[in-house]
Amino acid sequence: MSLSPVEDIALSEFSPGTVAEPAAPGSGFVGRSPGQLAWARLRRDRVAMVSGGVLVFFFLVALAAPLIQWAYGTDPQQQFQDSLDLYGMPLGYAGGVTGSHWFGLEPSLGRDIFIRMVYGLRTSLFIALAAGVITTVIGVLAGVLAGYAGGWLDAVIGWVTDFALAMPFLIVALALVPTVSLRFYGPREAVPSSFRVAVLITVFALFGWTSAARLVRGQVVSLREREFIEAARASGVSTAHMLFRQVLPNIWAPILVSFSLAVPSYVTGEAVLSFLGVGIVDPTPDFGAMIFRSIHYLQTDPTYVFFPGVTIFILVLAFNLFGDAVRDALDPRSNR
Amino acid sequence: MSTDPPNAVPLLAVQGLAKHFPVREGFGSRILRAVDGVDFEVRAGETLGLVGESGCGKTTTGRMLVRLLEPTAGRIRFDGRDITHLRGRALRPLRRELQIIFQDPYSSLNPRHTVGKIIAIPLQANGIRPPGGIRNRVRELLEIVGLNPEHYNRYPHEFSGGQRQRVGIARALAVQPRLVVADEPVSALDVSIQAQVVNLLRGLQRDLGLGFVFIAHDLAVVRHLSHRVAVMYLGKIVETGARADIYQRPQHPYTRALLSAVPDIERSREDRGRIRLEGDVASPLEAVSGCPFRSRCWKARDRCAVEEPALVAREGREQLVACHFPEPAPAVSTEEVRGEPVAG
Amino acid sequence: MRPRVAVAAGSAIVLFAALGACGKNTGQGTATDNNRTTTGVIATDPKDSMGPAAPVPGATKGGTFYVLRQPKINHLDPQRVYSFAGLSAAPLYSRFLTTWKDDGKGHLTLVGDLATTPGKDVKGDCTTWQFTIKDGVKFEDGSPITSKEIAYGIARSFDPDLTGGPTYLQEWLANTPEYDTAWDFKANKTSLPPGLTTPDAKTLVFTFQKPHCDLPFAASLPFTAPMPPAKDTGVNYDNQPFSSGPYKITKIVPGVQMVLERNTNWDPATDPVRHQYPDSFVWSYGADATAEANRIISDSGPDASAISWDGVPSTLTAAVAGNASLKDRTLLEPTPSANRLTINMQRVTDLSIRQALNYAIDRDDLIKALGGATVASPLTTLMPPATLGYQQYDAYPAGPNGNPEKAKQLLNGRTPELVLGVADDDQDTQIGTQVKNNLEKAGFKITVKTIPQDSKLDETKKKNNPWDLYIDTWGADWPSGASILPPLFDGRTIKDEGNSDTSFMNDSAINAEFDRILAMPPAQQGPEWAKLDKRIMTQDAPAVPLYVDVAFYLHGSKAGGLFIGSVFGYPEFVNAFVKP
Amino acid sequence: MLRFLIRRVLSATLVLFAISVLTFLMFFALPRDPVTSMCPKNCNPARLERVRAELGLSDPLYQQYAGYMKGIVLGRDLNSAEGGHCAAPCLGYSYINSEPVSRTIARVLPVTLSIVIPAAVLWLALGVGLGMVSALRRGSVLDRLAIGFSLTGASLQIYFVGAVLLLVFTYTLHLVPVPHYTSITQNPADWASGLVLAWVTLAFLFSAIYARLSRAQMLETLSEDFIRTARSKGLPKFRVYGQHALRAAITPIVTIAGMDIGGALGGTVVTETTFGIQGLGRTTWDAVREGDLPTLMATVLIAAVFIVVANIVVDIVYAFIDPRVRLG
């Protein structure tokens, strides 16, 4: 699947210069960085390209939601209750799938599933990505500090990690959201969904960083024993240089993988929170909330379950596959 | 073969150096005495060979010398200054004078940096601005260690093990140190490459007047570089002296055993007189009583179990040995010190 | 290869979900009979109060009847029973002063249970009520039930530790809402609260300082169940009630199950309503409504003689109501629980806006949003059809989908900006969306404000709460306008918090009407309440009546004798039996 | 080791203490007034105040907290409405459930244990086994199937898989009884059949993650020098893989398993909700929603205890399987 570094080394052993990019004569030798090599490997990996393409597609859909709405001609808030039967279930075949409602209608409120999914992806992906980035940054900082500094700092960060892990997530979320929204919004003001999004991201940030921190700490502890770290120390480099130039570039692979796993878990986690009334509430379209709600209609409106269900499956699968591919590309040894 | 006589003033002086690691086993906790009271001196331009089996504490000693490990006890003086417990900023000037070459050429180079950057980092970190610019200095260094200076932008994975070790050497040389601790710099390399690197180091020793603490697990590699040799066993120096003395008249049984294991292509296997050590190495975790080597020593007597032999001169020579029953006469057949490297 | 295998495996699983998505929904289904009304009388003939109850056609003795319910019943102690589940289960193991004879079709008769008649208004002014206890009524250990044990039961309901139960009798006897400070049960265990006397073992007399014509109704609540003082274990009585009914509790595994077995000391000849067909009843807890419904649909093993107490969830109604083979295993009745869009009259002072809201409401689509006809049934009156003397009317006729044009006309170009408070759970926020979209079509500007679910009730009950609109439910304790209109609209009761008059309506003319009707004999009040209902809606429009809850239950093929009670709208077990 | 243990236990105690304080404070930040649930339908402000005073809810927070903690350690006297004296460890009395909290816990804890422990055994055996085998038979059909399985499992959600399994195996095919809990001591067969769907669902999703992880770990370990050395020394394949490689590969799995199992024991809200089984997770959720402080405190603390204990156990197990690790 990918050219292993062993082959690279072997090649350079015999004829130095042949692995380098065919440089123009006289321009000097330019080596290819591990990053460039990884990118090259990634480009040759069909799975990576397909899953990456799927992810790009989802992001584009989310970004282009208003454009899609314009072309599709239906508003995410528009109700088509005339197309529901007296139990609030969509009329017609397969949950109300028609030429104008591609994925059918929601039971009860009778809104168009397709356009709500498009907008819902926008909300959910934004929350998941933002939470993913924030937790990864916090986790990496905490992990690098704990792993590299050791001693009391490690102990304190370890303690905080334990604390965050054992903290009652639900209670904090349930207590935080109304309290905070009361502080910012009057009793007659609707809480805008942007605020709820921010609160959700905060809640995830409070709890989600621990796994990244643990992972990074472990990596750093083992890196700390590597001789190039000692070499840098013997060279008298500063701590900042040590952390950001020596350590960090070597743990990108696990960080990227944990990020690629964290993002889909926030999409689904957000679904649970929405269900508990802490997350995004109606009428804001939200993919996670939609999935959780649809599950209850498994027996009566399978179409409603099918489209969001398949979409989240593909989304998470694409994240997983892409994450694996990135890891393989960055760290080919693990797949050797 | 080195020519300059050793300088009279010691550049590096080590006294009673010790490193103890706490080790937890099951539900108990014990102390691992990796290095347990080591004394030696290195003069400017001089090379000390530090020899011993793996686990004897020689690498730990090397790490303490360049202050990558904090000594538990003892004192290290560099150029007359006590550096035993220097920290942080105070350590900076030392970094310019004392450098280290690592054993593993694969793990000692940051895979995410170009070799140019790897060599430049010590310069930048120490605020050294070479006259021709850092880039030129790096090219110069690459040339000194026998690499193509145009490989400046290459990454470590694009080099072979021997080439990488040259990069490691260039990095150590970048700040123009006075003393380099070379921690088994060739043991991870193929034999053919070993010789090239040893030759490179010899050249540097000669051309730059560098002092080395050359750590190795056998006496063969050390022979061609060292002015003096110290043999370590279980965290202690058991014998130390001038190269010729050690190789021609080893007094400690352990030194003899080590020497007998040096391959010698000129003699047949039969008359090599190889000494095979039997018995188990005493655990560095157990409290020492008597001579640490006694469990493997064929000359061990009752006295060895009771009294620990001191490292003292015997027979009025400048050769110190820690043995109650030192070898009286040259018994090993490697009579002469050969001028040529072991191989190639 | 790698992705193909993965995707294939994954798709196979996901495709499972798509199974059955092929039939066409043409909109056929069972509609709820929305016209069930309740007629009720208070028995005047003592014969009505005598047992045994008329046999249930087709009923046989034996078998075990199962009741599936998710949470356990929160109180079993009759003095603390107030939840619908408790009210449904309590008649199996306890008897009360009076009780309702209910044919399940809306015909109610209030009869004496432990008493020979549903009470005697001694002076004719509703201040003194006398009950005579029947002969032959016994506890599970065979000891006779006398007026002393009934009086003790009522007395212990004054204990503030015994939370949860209704408080009518306590407040009426003590003549103050602070009944537990007026008479301290713990300090006076051997005496009786003021106004409650037992002249002899067969006689129980209530003497009130104010007229309370509803006493016979109130006495049908479980807090009139008898209890021998020796059996009183305080708060722990919840776990071992002492039976006076046809069944006794033999086993309680908290949160898992409750087993009731025949009480041999119960004499059917004394009981006008209860039967003792099954050998035992088992309440089994834990499964949620969806699981219960699916078990009952499967109809296998013990589930064949079971009912799912939590009803058919709205997400499953299409599957149940659309399945003809289940039709004879369903119970579908509108209940007396009435839902209204309350208008906060402190804030929305303009009558024309309140009327416009009434014209604008689209009940049909709202009911679709709730889950359809098996969940809710439209309502245009304040009182539910299950009220005695009910008269159907629509003060603001606008058709099932509302009349936004008429509403706009009333608004006359104004755009009232109103805030609708809803609980922050999934269901309520969806209803908020529905109502917002609905009203905005008629020219309103609606802000939906979520209130934490747990506090929504408390917050909207506060005077000066900041919202204009909110949805309220009222389930009366007995089917009389007296227990609906005065609590909801008597402005003289308005206090700082804990209001039932959440419209905060205070109309002195209406208040006077309340007093007038309340002083009438209960049997004659019905038509007067119906008239007043219409008058309130026309004159004040303090709310938009929305819908009544619909009871939709599913039971196993061997479960018989079940019906939806006309008083509370929940399954009743007095006639239940297991088919062989 | 002993010192390490003592330090870990101290740190864990501190975590628990901090969590109890935080939960206590959070509870009072919740929008619901716990007293209203103890007051009858038509309760008024005066009565609310009185109930509040009787229950000690109008005392300063620190006093209430101290009272609660004292109850756990020494037991305490509750008022008559709460059933009088409550022996240590007293978790208080719940007005919502109208029973002492200890009784609630005694009921729901075995449920969660019964769900999680067998499921964990299943998912570890299945996941690690599959991961190992597919690593050793790299590139084979088996390996590809295992990868497909694990990617699928890792991309699905409990509520989704649970709902589909329930629909297919219970409601349509009637192969498995409706999920329910019976005590194992009462009827082991019924215990197993009532929980098997939950086990399978949890095991499917988790084993997918473990299969991925252990496959990657195993591959990495197999490429390590010491394994190659052992192989080249001619040590039997089984011994090399079974002892050396497995031992080295299993350490990260132990870490994650510890965290997963500890977390799951603290309550599997989604699983319990999906299968309608009342365990610790659902009880916690209910307690939050219903404003049931005593139950909430107890469930939160128990969940936290599971997590911190699991962490300590992981560290100890780590020290035993990987002698390189120095517990410092």
Side-chain angles (χ1 to χ4, degrees):
Chain A
M1 190 171 77
S2 54
L3 195 62
S4 83
V6 189
E7 293 164 77
D8 291 347
I9 289 165
L11 284 171
S12 67
E13 196 90 62
F14 294 115
S15 49
T18 49
V19 271
E21 303 261 353
S27 73
F29 297 90
V30 176
R32 289 202 295 175
S33 75
Q36 288 167 315
L37 285 173
W39 174 239
R41 280 192 287 263
L42 202 60
R43 277 228 315 260
R44 262 171 295 170
D45 184 345
R46 242 181 37 238
V47 179
M49 285 300 103
V50 172
S51 55
V54 169
L55 291 181
V56 169
F57 170 75
F58 277 124
F59 287 122
L60 284 181
V61 166
L63 282 175
L67 205 67
I68 294 171
Q69 181 190 337
W70 172 78
Y72 186 66
T74 301
D75 183 76
Q77 304 303 349
Q78 220 171 319
Q79 291 179 270
F80 299 92
Q81 283 172 312
D82 290 343
S83 306
L84 303 180
D85 69 6
L86 78 166
Y87 305 122
M89 305 306 290
L91 290 166
Y93 289 102
V97 173
T98 61
S100 47
H101 304 299
W102 297 353
F103 291 177
L105 296 173
E106 281 181 339
S108 293
L109 287 180
R111 293 176 298 200
D112 185 90
I113 293 175
F114 172 75
I115 195 70
R116 285 189 70 79
M117 257 176 68
V118 168
Y119 272 92
L121 263 177
R122 197 179 160 96
T123 322
S124 291
L125 280 181
F126 176 74
I127 293 173
L129 277 181
V133 168
I134 293 173
T135 52
T136 305
V137 168
I138 298 176
V140 167
L141 284 179
V144 167
L145 272 180
Y148 185 74
W152 66 269
L153 199 58
D154 188 14
V156 168
I157 292 174
W159 188 85
V160 175
T161 312
D162 282 355
F163 178 69
L165 274 174
M167 201 144 64
F169 175 79
L170 275 183
I171 296 148
V172 176
L174 283 169
L176 199 70
V177 174
T179 320
V180 176
S181 55
L182 266 184
R183 183 165 285 272
F184 285 99
Y185 297 96
R188 283 171 62 82
E189 272 178 285
V191 178
S193 48
S194 58
F195 176 79
R196 290 186 164 269
V197 167
V199 172
L200 265 184
I201 294 171
T202 312
V203 169
F204 284 134
L206 279 178
F207 292 92
W209 57 275
T210 50
S211 61
R214 288 190 161 223
L215 178 83
V216 169
R217 182 190 169 277
Q219 294 283 330
V220 172
V221 165
S222 72
L223 265 184
R224 204 170 53 177
E225 308 297 319
R226 298 276 288 276
E227 286 184 339
F228 70 82
I229 297 292
E230 294 199 301
R233 220 145 48 92
S235 301
V237 302
S238 65
T239 309
H241 173 101
M242 188 66 98
L243 294 183
F244 295 108
R245 309 302 288 276
Q246 300 283 351
V247 173
L248 207 53
N250 282 289
I251 53 174
W252 276 122
I255 291 174
L256 277 176
V257 172
S258 95
F259 177 76
S260 78
L261 292 177
V263 171
S265 82
Y266 291 132
V267 174
T268 54
E270 183 246 335
V272 178
L273 285 184
S274 298
F275 186 71
L276 299 181
V278 184
I280 305 303
V281 297
D282 217 76
T284 313
D286 179 69
F287 190 48
M290 193 173 198
I291 290 162
F292 218 104
R293 192 176 300 146
S294 73
I295 292 292
H296 302 286
Y297 289 92
L298 189 61
Q299 282 165 275
T300 44
D301 188 359
T303 316
Y304 186 28
V305 190
F306 181 77
F307 287 109
V310 165
T311 308
I312 186 128
F313 176 73
I314 293 174
L315 182 68
V316 177
L317 185 65
F319 265 111
N320 281 332
L321 285 172
F322 194 70
D324 279 4
V326 167
R327 190 195 53 211
D328 290 351
L330 283 174
D331 190 8
R333 216 172 57 110
S334 66
N335 204 27
R336 197 162 54 189
Chain B
M1 160 134 221
S2 304
T3 47
D4 296 335
N7 217 329
V9 189
L11 182 61
L12 181 74
V14 173
Q15 288 172 339
L17 191 64
K19 181 69 190 175
H20 297 171
F21 294 107
V23 172
R24 282 157 231 270
E25 276 187 338
F27 284 87
S29 160
R30 287 195 285 182
I31 300 288
L32 174 94
R33 293 157 198 276
V35 178
D36 200 15
V38 163
D39 306 277
F40 57 83
E41 286 180 353
V42 182
R43 274 155 283 201
E46 186 193 44
T47 294
L48 171 75
L50 199 55
V51 181
E53 290 169 312
S54 37
C56 73
K58 56 191 192 302
T59 293
T60 306
T61 308
R63 291 282 202 280
M64 283 194 283
L65 294 184
V66 292
R67 298 285 295 99
L68 286 173
L69 279 178
E70 187 72 15
T72 309
R75 176 160 299 189
I76 307 167
R77 262 200 290 264
F78 186 80
D79 210 4
R81 202 154 54 93
D82 189 343
I83 61 161
T84 320
H85 297 294
L86 287 186
R87 286 186 158 275
R89 209 165 280 278
L91 211 48
R92 283 282 176 81
L94 181 75
R95 299 290 185 210
R96 293 185 60 163
E97 312 216 47
L98 190 54
Q99 276 294 325
I100 181 164
I101 299 168
F102 291 92
Q103 172 178 8
D104 182 357
Y106 290 90
S107 99
S108 66
L109 303 182
N110 190 332
R112 309 279 157 187
H113 290 168
T114 61
V115 299
K117 185 164 182 192
I118 290 169
I119 299 168
I121 281 172
L123 294 172
Q124 289 161 341
N126 290 293
I128 299 170
R129 291 170 201 284
I134 285 182
R135 202 183 171 91
N136 275 332
R137 171 70 179 142
V138 169
R139 282 162 190 271
E140 203 179 303
L141 284 162
L142 283 171
E143 218 161 350
I144 291 174
V145 297
L147 290 172
N148 184 345
E150 299 308 321
H151 288 174
Y152 185 92
N153 275 324
R154 293 264 191 106
Y155 285 85
H157 66 85
E158 293 169 297
F159 293 91
S160 67
Q163 289 173 317
R164 286 173 182 228
Q165 196 57 297
R166 288 169 191 266
V167 174
I169 294 168
R171 169 173 61 193
L173 296 180
V175 293
Q176 294 179 295
R178 293 162 71 189
L179 184 69
V180 172
V181 174
D183 181 11
E184 305 217 35
V186 297
S187 61
L189 304 175
D190 288 345
V191 179
S192 60
I193 317 272
Q194 279 189 0
Q196 293 172 6
V197 172
V198 168
N199 284 341
L200 168 67
L201 292 174
R202 260 157 62 99
L204 295 171
Q205 192 183 37
R206 186 178 55 229
D207 302 341
L208 304 175
L210 268 178
F212 281 100
V213 173
F214 197 101
I215 297 170
H217 60 261
D218 66 63
L219 281 159
V221 175
V222 174
R223 182 193 294 172
H224 311 287
L225 283 160
S226 309
H227 301 109
R228 289 192 302 119
V229 174
V231 179
M232 277 188 83
Y233 187 79
L234 271 183
K236 293 194 164 111
I237 291 178
V238 291
E239 181 164 15
T240 176
R243 178 182 54 174
D245 290 340
I246 295 289
Y247 282 85
Q248 286 166 7
R249 287 174 292 278
Q251 295 187 2
H252 198 281
Y254 180 58
T255 315
R256 268 194 70 200
L258 281 181
L259 273 172
S260 77
V262 172
D264 197 325
I265 44 172
E266 283 163 30
R267 280 173 299 120
S268 66
R269 185 175 285 268
E270 289 78 56
D271 56 38
R272 193 153 104 202
R274 175 159 188 174
I275 299 165
R276 286 179 194 281
L277 290 176
E278 280 167 5
D280 293 325
V281 184
S283 167
L285 285 168
E286 276 149 28
V288 203
S289 80
C291 175
F293 186 61
R294 70 173 197 279
S295 60
R296 299 164 79 191
C297 186
W298 62 95
K299 303 172 104 186
R301 306 280 192 280
D302 291 347
R303 185 183 168 195
C304 300
V306 188
E307 192 185 325
E308 189 183 349
L311 183 66
V312 289
R314 319 259 159 170
E315 298 180 14
R317 278 195 241 213
E318 225 190 302
Q319 187 176 0
L320 310 182
V321 60
C323 185
H324 295 305
F325 311 100
E327 294 290 320
V332 184
S333 50
T334 44
E335 298 86 359
E336 75 248 68
V337 180
R338 298 183 316 138
E340 263 74 52
V342 181
Chain C
M1 184 64 198
R2 202 174 77 169
R4 254 181 281 144
V5 172
V7 170
S11 314
I13 284 172
V14 174
L15 275 171
F16 254 114
L19 287 178
C22 25
K24 180 175 181 175
N25 182 2
T26 52
Q28 312 288 317
T30 327
T32 315
D33 170 17
N34 296 332
N35 300 317
R36 166 167 152 168
T37 53
T38 301
T39 57
V41 287
I42 295 175
T44 44
D45 183 352
K47 280 202 190 93
D48 285 333
S49 301
M50 281 158 68
V56 178
T60 49
K61 284 210 155 212
T64 301
F65 195 101
Y66 291 89
V67 183
L68 313 179
R69 177 178 148 83
Q70 182 173 13
K72 66 164 192 158
I73 300 173
N74 64 350
H75 293 296
L76 294 174
D77 181 343
Q79 270 75 41
R80 304 176 75 175
V81 165
Y82 212 179
S83 69
F84 289 119
L87 291 168
S88 199
L92 290 176
Y93 62 85
S94 56
R95 299 183 61 178
F96 323 119
L97 263 183
T98 64
T99 195
W100 293 96
K101 202 182 254 186
D102 186 350
D103 70 349
K105 298 181 183 70
H107 303 110
L108 287 170
T109 312
L110 188 74
V111 297
D113 188 353
L114 289 170
T116 52
T117 64
K120 183 174 149 202
D121 181 2
V122 179
K123 295 183 185 159
D125 62 356
C126 297
T127 55
T128 311
W129 291 88
Q130 185 181 316
F131 292 86
T132 308
I133 310 306
K134 285 176 186 165
D135 292 323
V137 287
K138 292 186 195 114
F139 285 108
E140 63 174 274
D141 63 352
S143 57
I145 298 169
T146 70
S147 58
K148 309 274 190 243
E149 286 82 22
I150 300 171
Y152 181 77
I154 294 168
R156 81 189 276 277
S157 68
F158 277 70
D159 187 344
D161 288 352
L162 302 177
T163 56
T167 56
Y168 299 105
L169 289 183
Q170 301 94 304
E171 292 184 19
W172 294 348
L173 287 167
N175 198 29
T176 165
E178 301 296 313
Y179 60 84
D180 48 342
T181 41
W183 187 73
D184 185 345
F185 168 73
K186 281 203 199 75
N188 301 285
K189 280 194 180 180
T190 51
S191 64
L192 288 175
L196 188 63
T197 50
T198 54
D200 59 57
K202 289 282 161 212
T203 312
L204 185 71
V205 179
F206 293 88
T207 314
F208 300 129
Q209 292 175 32
K210 284 188 193 149
H212 291 288
C213 296
D214 274 352
L215 179 76
F217 296 131
S220 69
L221 291 169
F223 62 166
T224 59
M227 176 198 268
K231 298 286 178 186
D232 189 0
T233 48
V235 289
N236 297 319
Y237 191 71
D238 249 347
N239 303 312
Q240 61 229 30
F242 193 59
S243 172
S244 54
Y247 292 87
K248 58 186 177 188
I249 297 172
T250 53
K251 183 180 167 194
I252 290 183
V253 186
V256 179
Q257 77 174 176
M258 168 169 82
V259 179
L260 298 114
E261 284 170 7
R262 279 212 183 100
N263 172 14
T264 49
N265 283 306
W266 171 79
D267 180 1
T270 63
D271 201 318
V273 293
R274 296 173 183 80
H275 295 94
Q276 203 185 37
Y277 294 127
D279 291 334
S280 57
F281 277 89
V282 175
W283 289 64
S284 101
Y285 308 118
D288 67 5
T290 306
E292 284 172 20
N294 278 304
R295 279 166 68 168
I296 304 284
I297 293 170
S298 305
D299 200 34
S300 56
D303 293 341
S305 59
I307 180 170
S308 75
W309 208 92
D310 295 305
V312 180
S314 66
T315 52
L316 274 183
T317 45
V320 176
N323 186 341
S325 66
L326 294 175
K327 194 162 179 3
D328 57 348
R329 295 209 268 129
T330 54
L331 300 171
L332 181 63
E333 299 284 353
T335 75
S337 288
N339 297 269
R340 62 191 195 281
L341 179 66
T342 303
I343 306 170
N344 184 343
M345 288 173 67
Q346 297 166 111
R347 308 190 65 94
V348 188
T349 49
D350 187 333
L351 177 65
S352 63
I353 292 179
R354 300 200 295 269
Q355 290 175 327
L357 285 167
N358 268 288
Y359 278 114
I361 202 75
D362 179 345
R363 293 186 181 85
D364 212 33
D365 281 352
L366 175 66
I367 285 167
K368 280 182 183 171
L370 285 161
T374 57
V375 175
S377 169
L379 178 71
T380 57
T381 56
L382 292 170
M383 301 192 300
T387 318
L388 303 181
Y390 175 78
Q391 289 292 316
Q392 156 69 26
Y393 71 90
D394 189 348
Y396 304 97
N401 287 101
N403 188 345
E405 292 316 312
K406 179 81 181 163
K408 276 186 185 151
Q409 212 178 310
L410 274 169
L411 291 179
N412 199 13
R414 292 170 297 174
T415 306
E417 296 192 4
L418 301 177
V419 178
L420 169 67
V422 297
D424 61 0
D425 63 12
D426 197 54
Q427 165 96 17
D428 277 41
T429 47
Q430 287 212 43
I431 298 307
T433 305
Q434 171 74 32
V435 172
K436 174 186 160 85
N437 289 352
N438 173 195
L439 293 179
E440 290 195 341
K441 276 184 219 151
F444 290 92
K445 171 88 184 69
I446 303 291
T447 303
V448 177
K449 175 74 184 175
T450 53
I451 311 166
Q453 191 197 33
D454 317 313
S455 61
K456 189 222 163 198
L457 259 182
D458 302 334
E459 292 296 322
T460 53
K461 282 180 171 183
K462 280 183 183 155
K463 195 186 172 187
N464 302 325
N465 76 60
W467 306 291
D468 307 306
L469 305 169
Y470 26 85
I471 292 171
D472 278 318
T473 305
W474 188 257
D477 286 332
W478 49 88
S480 156
S483 69
I484 301 170
L485 295 180
L488 292 184
F489 300 108
D490 187 338
R492 293 165 300 185
T493 63
I494 295 173
K495 49 206 175 200
D496 284 343
E497 25 187 309
N499 289 294
S500 301
D501 181 3
T502 45
S503 294
F504 303 98
M505 181 177 116
N506 191 2
D507 181 328
S508 48
I510 301 288
N511 295 347
E513 273 294 287
F514 288 148
D515 291 344
R516 184 184 69 81
I517 301 172
L518 281 170
M520 294 167 67
Q524 293 162 31
Q525 289 180 8
E528 294 295 319
W529 290 125
K531 267 186 253 165
L532 187 59
D533 184 330
K534 187 168 183 179
R535 181 171 160 194
I536 294 172
M537 273 309 291
T538 316
Q539 276 186 8
D540 296 286
V544 182
L546 296 174
Y547 60 92
V548 290
D549 294 339
V550 169
F552 187 30
Y553 291 91
L554 200 54
H555 60 81
S557 56
K558 290 183 179 171
L562 289 163
F563 64 94
I564 301 296
S566 305
V567 179
F568 299 114
Y570 282 82
E572 296 289 342
F573 299 106
V574 290
N575 294 347
F577 64 92
V578 178
K579 293 175 194 166
Chain D
M1 187 68 177
L2 199 63
R3 234 183 57 201
F4 161 79
L5 258 186
I6 291 170
R7 220 178 39 191
R8 284 295 269 142
V9 169
L10 279 180
S11 147
T13 315
L14 201 61
V15 166
L16 293 179
F17 172 74
I19 282 173
S20 67
V21 172
L22 192 86
T23 310
F24 211 82
L25 292 177
M26 284 284 186
F27 180 83
F28 286 95
L30 283 177
R32 184 183 177 110
D33 183 348
V35 177
T36 48
S37 60
M38 303 159 199
C39 197
K41 203 176 185 178
N42 54 346
C43 67
N44 53 47
R47 177 169 295 131
L48 275 179
E49 247 344 286
R50 215 170 56 242
V51 174
R52 194 168 283 138
E54 264 176 37
L55 296 178
L57 286 170
S58 39
D59 293 345
L61 276 187
Y62 70 88
Q63 216 167 321
Q64 292 185 45
Y65 178 79
Y68 181 82
M69 290 319 263
K70 180 179 162 254
I72 292 183
V73 184
L74 303 170
R76 62 174 170 161
D77 290 315
L78 301 172
N79 68 40
S80 56
E82 300 171 319
H85 182 76
C86 170
C90 172
L91 296 169
Y93 183 90
S94 158
Y95 276 84
I96 305 291
N97 300 327
S98 47
E99 63 178 357
V101 175
S102 50
R103 198 185 295 160
T104 314
I105 299 297
R107 183 171 66 244
V108 299
L109 190 55
V111 179
T112 297
L113 294 179
S114 298
I115 295 175
V116 174
I117 293 173
V121 170
L122 258 179
W123 88 54
L124 279 174
L126 192 64
V128 175
L130 208 58
M132 296 284 161
V133 171
S134 74
L136 295 178
R137 298 260 177 282
R138 207 172 122 63
S140 67
V141 176
L142 185 73
D143 182 29
R144 288 180 178 150
L145 280 176
I147 291 174
F149 165 83
S150 61
L151 276 168
T152 309
S155 309
L156 287 169
Q157 277 74 49
I158 289 177
Y159 47 79
F160 201 85
V161 176
V164 172
L165 289 183
L166 262 176
L167 183 61
V168 173
F169 291 103
T170 301
Y171 302 141
T172 310
L173 301 177
H174 304 297
L175 286 176
V176 181
V178 176
H180 59 275
Y181 174 77
T182 317
S183 166
I184 187 171
T185 52
Q186 215 173 54
N187 184 346
D190 197 32
W191 171 77
S193 68
L195 298 173
V196 68
L197 269 188
W199 297 342
V200 168
T201 308
L202 276 174
F204 173 47
L205 302 192
F206 273 101
S207 63
I209 298 165
Y210 284 79
R212 254 158 77 90
L213 189 74
S214 51
R215 180 179 179 275
Q217 276 300 327
M218 193 72 183
L219 284 176
E220 187 155 349
T221 315
L222 288 179
S223 67
E224 300 256 1
D225 295 340
F226 74 95
I227 294 292
R228 285 196 299 224
T229 312
R231 282 289 284 149
S232 62
K233 272 198 215 156
L235 283 178
K237 197 173 176 179
F238 173 77
R239 251 188 77 195
V240 175
Y241 294 151
Q243 293 190 344
H244 295 76
L246 183 62
R247 205 178 159 97
I250 209 157
T251 29
I253 295 166
V254 167
T255 317
I256 303 203
M259 281 165 72
D260 280 348
I261 296 172
L265 284 175
T268 45
V269 186
V270 179
T271 312
E272 288 169 23
T273 307
T274 305
F275 294 104
I277 301 170
Q278 186 82 20
L280 204 56
R282 272 273 288 272
T283 306
T284 314
W285 181 10
D286 290 347
V288 179
R289 298 305 275 178
E290 292 167 343
D292 186 353
L293 176 63
T295 307
L296 181 68
M297 284 295 283
T299 51
V300 163
L301 282 180
I302 286 169
V305 165
F306 277 124
I307 289 168
V308 294
V309 168
N311 272 335
I312 296 177
V313 169
V314 163
D315 287 342
I316 294 170
V317 171
Y318 226 91
F320 278 105
I321 33 181
D322 189 353
R324 284 174 302 177
V325 173
R326 272 176 295 155
L327 300 172

